[in-house]
mmCIF file of all heavy atoms in Angstrom:
data_model
loop_
_atom_site.group_PDB
_atom_site.id
_atom_site.type_symbol
_atom_site.label_atom_id
_atom_site.label_comp_id
_atom_site.label_asym_id
_atom_site.label_seq_id
_atom_site.Cartn_x
_atom_site.Cartn_y
_atom_site.Cartn_z
ATOM 1 N N PHE A 3 -15.329 0.121 20.942
ATOM 2 C CA PHE A 3 -16.519 0.715 21.556
ATOM 3 C C PHE A 3 -16.600 2.204 21.246
ATOM 4 O O PHE A 3 -17.655 2.717 20.853
ATOM 5 C CB PHE A 3 -16.514 0.487 23.070
ATOM 6 C CG PHE A 3 -17.619 1.216 23.771
ATOM 7 C CD1 PHE A 3 -18.915 0.751 23.711
ATOM 8 C CD2 PHE A 3 -17.352 2.378 24.470
ATOM 9 C CE1 PHE A 3 -19.947 1.441 24.347
ATOM 10 C CE2 PHE A 3 -18.366 3.075 25.115
ATOM 11 C CZ PHE A 3 -19.667 2.597 25.039
ATOM 12 N N VAL A 4 -15.489 2.922 21.396
ATOM 13 C CA VAL A 4 -15.466 4.364 21.132
ATOM 14 C C VAL A 4 -15.788 4.632 19.656
ATOM 15 O O VAL A 4 -16.567 5.538 19.339
ATOM 16 C CB VAL A 4 -14.088 4.963 21.519
ATOM 17 C CG1 VAL A 4 -13.940 6.378 21.013
ATOM 18 C CG2 VAL A 4 -13.909 4.913 23.032
ATOM 19 N N HIS A 5 -15.228 3.837 18.767
ATOM 20 C CA HIS A 5 -15.473 3.995 17.338
ATOM 21 C C HIS A 5 -16.954 3.801 17.003
ATOM 22 O O HIS A 5 -17.579 4.637 16.350
ATOM 23 C CB HIS A 5 -14.609 2.986 16.564
ATOM 24 C CG HIS A 5 -14.776 3.053 15.093
ATOM 25 N ND1 HIS A 5 -14.016 3.875 14.299
ATOM 26 C CD2 HIS A 5 -15.635 2.414 14.261
ATOM 27 C CE1 HIS A 5 -14.397 3.733 13.030
ATOM 28 N NE2 HIS A 5 -15.377 2.842 12.984
ATOM 29 N N GLU A 6 -17.521 2.704 17.469
ATOM 30 C CA GLU A 6 -18.932 2.415 17.191
ATOM 31 C C GLU A 6 -19.857 3.414 17.880
ATOM 32 O O GLU A 6 -20.916 3.744 17.354
ATOM 33 C CB GLU A 6 -19.277 0.977 17.599
ATOM 34 C CG GLU A 6 -18.518 -0.084 16.832
ATOM 35 C CD GLU A 6 -18.653 0.022 15.318
ATOM 36 O OE1 GLU A 6 -19.690 0.501 14.810
ATOM 37 O OE2 GLU A 6 -17.699 -0.378 14.629
ATOM 38 N N LEU A 7 -19.452 3.898 19.052
ATOM 39 C CA LEU A 7 -20.238 4.918 19.743
ATOM 40 C C LEU A 7 -20.320 6.185 18.898
ATOM 41 O O LEU A 7 -21.358 6.848 18.857
ATOM 42 C CB LEU A 7 -19.623 5.220 21.110
ATOM 43 C CG LEU A 7 -20.397 6.187 21.993
ATOM 44 C CD1 LEU A 7 -21.755 5.623 22.378
ATOM 45 C CD2 LEU A 7 -19.578 6.527 23.241
ATOM 46 N N GLY A 8 -19.245 6.524 18.202
ATOM 47 C CA GLY A 8 -19.260 7.682 17.310
ATOM 48 C C GLY A 8 -20.299 7.527 16.215
ATOM 49 O O GLY A 8 -21.090 8.444 15.961
ATOM 50 N N HIS A 9 -20.320 6.366 15.561
ATOM 51 C CA HIS A 9 -21.337 6.111 14.533
ATOM 52 C C HIS A 9 -22.741 6.186 15.132
ATOM 53 O O HIS A 9 -23.640 6.807 14.565
ATOM 54 C CB HIS A 9 -21.148 4.734 13.905
ATOM 55 C CG HIS A 9 -19.917 4.574 13.095
ATOM 56 N ND1 HIS A 9 -19.560 5.422 12.073
ATOM 57 C CD2 HIS A 9 -18.938 3.634 13.149
ATOM 58 C CE1 HIS A 9 -18.427 5.008 11.533
ATOM 59 N NE2 HIS A 9 -18.023 3.922 12.164
ATOM 60 N N TYR A 10 -22.914 5.533 16.270
ATOM 61 C CA TYR A 10 -24.226 5.457 16.916
ATOM 62 C C TYR A 10 -24.756 6.847 17.293
ATOM 63 O O TYR A 10 -25.896 7.193 16.972
ATOM 64 C CB TYR A 10 -24.128 4.570 18.158
ATOM 65 C CG TYR A 10 -25.367 4.574 19.023
ATOM 66 C CD1 TYR A 10 -26.461 3.804 18.685
ATOM 67 C CD2 TYR A 10 -25.429 5.347 20.173
ATOM 68 C CE1 TYR A 10 -27.603 3.808 19.468
ATOM 69 C CE2 TYR A 10 -26.566 5.353 20.961
ATOM 70 C CZ TYR A 10 -27.648 4.591 20.607
ATOM 71 O OH TYR A 10 -28.772 4.603 21.377
ATOM 72 N N LEU A 11 -23.936 7.646 17.969
ATOM 73 C CA LEU A 11 -24.386 8.967 18.415
ATOM 74 C C LEU A 11 -24.674 9.893 17.238
ATOM 75 O O LEU A 11 -25.666 10.633 17.262
ATOM 76 C CB LEU A 11 -23.349 9.590 19.355
ATOM 77 C CG LEU A 11 -23.202 8.910 20.712
ATOM 78 C CD1 LEU A 11 -22.076 9.557 21.512
ATOM 79 C CD2 LEU A 11 -24.505 8.951 21.496
ATOM 80 N N ALA A 12 -23.839 9.844 16.202
ATOM 81 C CA ALA A 12 -24.089 10.670 15.021
ATOM 82 C C ALA A 12 -25.395 10.257 14.343
ATOM 83 O O ALA A 12 -26.191 11.114 13.943
ATOM 84 C CB ALA A 12 -22.917 10.564 14.047
ATOM 85 N N ALA A 13 -25.618 8.957 14.214
ATOM 86 C CA ALA A 13 -26.845 8.465 13.581
ATOM 87 C C ALA A 13 -28.081 8.887 14.378
ATOM 88 O O ALA A 13 -29.069 9.353 13.796
ATOM 89 C CB ALA A 13 -26.795 6.947 13.437
ATOM 90 N N ARG A 14 -28.015 8.742 15.685
ATOM 91 C CA ARG A 14 -29.165 9.139 16.520
ATOM 92 C C ARG A 14 -29.400 10.648 16.449
ATOM 93 O O ARG A 14 -30.532 11.109 16.356
ATOM 94 C CB ARG A 14 -28.947 8.718 17.975
ATOM 95 C CG ARG A 14 -28.944 7.222 18.242
ATOM 96 C CD ARG A 14 -30.298 6.571 17.996
ATOM 97 N NE ARG A 14 -31.366 7.174 18.741
ATOM 98 C CZ ARG A 14 -31.898 6.716 19.866
ATOM 99 N NH1 ARG A 14 -31.445 5.610 20.376
ATOM 100 N NH2 ARG A 14 -32.873 7.349 20.462
ATOM 101 N N LEU A 15 -28.323 11.421 16.500
ATOM 102 C CA LEU A 15 -28.423 12.877 16.457
ATOM 103 C C LEU A 15 -29.027 13.360 15.137
ATOM 104 O O LEU A 15 -29.804 14.314 15.119
ATOM 105 C CB LEU A 15 -27.036 13.497 16.650
ATOM 106 C CG LEU A 15 -26.963 15.020 16.668
ATOM 107 C CD1 LEU A 15 -27.633 15.557 17.926
ATOM 108 C CD2 LEU A 15 -25.526 15.488 16.615
ATOM 109 N N LEU A 16 -28.709 12.678 14.040
ATOM 110 C CA LEU A 16 -29.193 13.086 12.725
ATOM 111 C C LEU A 16 -30.499 12.410 12.318
ATOM 112 O O LEU A 16 -30.972 12.586 11.200
ATOM 113 C CB LEU A 16 -28.113 12.810 11.671
ATOM 114 C CG LEU A 16 -26.834 13.638 11.859
ATOM 115 C CD1 LEU A 16 -25.757 13.190 10.890
ATOM 116 C CD2 LEU A 16 -27.125 15.119 11.707
ATOM 117 N N GLY A 17 -31.086 11.624 13.217
ATOM 118 C CA GLY A 17 -32.403 11.045 12.972
ATOM 119 C C GLY A 17 -32.442 9.778 12.154
ATOM 120 O O GLY A 17 -33.494 9.416 11.630
ATOM 121 N N LEU A 18 -31.330 9.075 12.038
ATOM 122 C CA LEU A 18 -31.323 7.811 11.315
ATOM 123 C C LEU A 18 -31.870 6.698 12.203
ATOM 124 O O LEU A 18 -31.808 6.780 13.427
ATOM 125 C CB LEU A 18 -29.904 7.437 10.868
ATOM 126 C CG LEU A 18 -29.407 8.063 9.569
ATOM 127 C CD1 LEU A 18 -29.163 9.535 9.727
ATOM 128 C CD2 LEU A 18 -28.164 7.359 9.098
ATOM 129 N N VAL A 19 -32.368 5.648 11.576
ATOM 130 C CA VAL A 19 -32.865 4.487 12.292
ATOM 131 C C VAL A 19 -31.682 3.606 12.665
ATOM 132 O O VAL A 19 -30.842 3.289 11.825
ATOM 133 C CB VAL A 19 -33.869 3.690 11.426
ATOM 134 C CG1 VAL A 19 -34.283 2.406 12.111
ATOM 135 C CG2 VAL A 19 -35.078 4.547 11.096
ATOM 136 N N VAL A 20 -31.616 3.213 13.936
ATOM 137 C CA VAL A 20 -30.570 2.307 14.418
ATOM 138 C C VAL A 20 -31.260 1.018 14.852
ATOM 139 O O VAL A 20 -32.170 1.052 15.668
ATOM 140 C CB VAL A 20 -29.782 2.913 15.603
ATOM 141 C CG1 VAL A 20 -28.754 1.930 16.123
ATOM 142 C CG2 VAL A 20 -29.129 4.222 15.204
ATOM 143 N N ASP A 21 -30.838 -0.114 14.291
ATOM 144 C CA ASP A 21 -31.420 -1.407 14.669
ATOM 145 C C ASP A 21 -30.622 -2.092 15.775
ATOM 146 O O ASP A 21 -31.195 -2.629 16.715
ATOM 147 C CB ASP A 21 -31.500 -2.346 13.464
ATOM 148 C CG ASP A 21 -32.616 -1.969 12.503
ATOM 149 O OD1 ASP A 21 -33.528 -1.204 12.899
ATOM 150 O OD2 ASP A 21 -32.582 -2.438 11.351
ATOM 151 N N VAL A 22 -29.279 -2.092 15.650
ATOM 152 C CA VAL A 22 -28.439 -2.838 16.589
ATOM 153 C C VAL A 22 -27.174 -2.040 16.896
ATOM 154 O O VAL A 22 -26.582 -1.426 16.010
ATOM 155 C CB VAL A 22 -28.015 -4.211 15.994
ATOM 156 C CG1 VAL A 22 -27.131 -4.981 16.965
ATOM 157 C CG2 VAL A 22 -29.213 -5.035 15.587
ATOM 158 N N PHE A 23 -26.772 -2.077 18.174
ATOM 159 C CA PHE A 23 -25.462 -1.578 18.606
ATOM 160 C C PHE A 23 -24.781 -2.761 19.272
ATOM 161 O O PHE A 23 -25.228 -3.236 20.310
ATOM 162 C CB PHE A 23 -25.617 -0.422 19.594
ATOM 163 C CG PHE A 23 -24.293 0.127 20.079
ATOM 164 C CD1 PHE A 23 -23.635 1.101 19.368
ATOM 165 C CD2 PHE A 23 -23.713 -0.349 21.241
ATOM 166 C CE1 PHE A 23 -22.420 1.615 19.807
ATOM 167 C CE2 PHE A 23 -22.501 0.146 21.688
ATOM 168 C CZ PHE A 23 -21.855 1.133 20.970
ATOM 169 N N SER A 24 -23.708 -3.264 18.644
ATOM 170 C CA SER A 24 -23.060 -4.478 19.150
ATOM 171 C C SER A 24 -21.568 -4.272 19.325
ATOM 172 O O SER A 24 -20.903 -3.707 18.465
ATOM 173 C CB SER A 24 -23.286 -5.634 18.174
ATOM 174 O OG SER A 24 -22.595 -6.786 18.599
ATOM 175 N N ILE A 25 -21.061 -4.745 20.441
ATOM 176 C CA ILE A 25 -19.633 -4.821 20.674
ATOM 177 C C ILE A 25 -19.288 -6.301 20.710
ATOM 178 O O ILE A 25 -19.836 -7.054 21.510
ATOM 179 C CB ILE A 25 -19.230 -4.138 21.995
ATOM 180 C CG1 ILE A 25 -19.590 -2.663 21.947
ATOM 181 C CG2 ILE A 25 -17.755 -4.330 22.284
ATOM 182 C CD1 ILE A 25 -18.961 -1.875 20.824
ATOM 183 N N GLY A 26 -18.419 -6.718 19.820
ATOM 184 C CA GLY A 26 -18.080 -8.124 19.703
ATOM 185 C C GLY A 26 -18.948 -8.802 18.657
ATOM 186 O O GLY A 26 -19.989 -8.279 18.249
ATOM 187 N N PHE A 27 -18.485 -9.948 18.202
ATOM 188 C CA PHE A 27 -19.204 -10.726 17.202
ATOM 189 C C PHE A 27 -19.594 -12.076 17.798
ATOM 190 O O PHE A 27 -19.170 -12.437 18.885
ATOM 191 C CB PHE A 27 -18.337 -10.945 15.960
ATOM 192 C CG PHE A 27 -18.070 -9.684 15.190
ATOM 193 C CD1 PHE A 27 -16.781 -9.212 15.046
ATOM 194 C CD2 PHE A 27 -19.102 -8.974 14.602
ATOM 195 C CE1 PHE A 27 -16.520 -8.061 14.326
ATOM 196 C CE2 PHE A 27 -18.855 -7.820 13.880
ATOM 197 C CZ PHE A 27 -17.565 -7.364 13.745
#
């Protein structure tokens, strides 16, 4: 969760499009 949160927050902060945030498969 912490790892994916890092990707997610950086992407949002830099204006990238985020489609899905998922924990687990």
Side-chain angles (χ1 to χ4, degrees):
F3 173 76
V4 169
H5 180 89
E6 297 305 330
L7 185 64
H9 293 307
Y10 172 80
L11 291 176
R14 292 294 305 260
L15 182 69
L16 296 173
L18 277 70
V19 174
V20 177
D21 285 343
V22 179
F23 180 87
S24 176
I25 299 302
F27 292 117

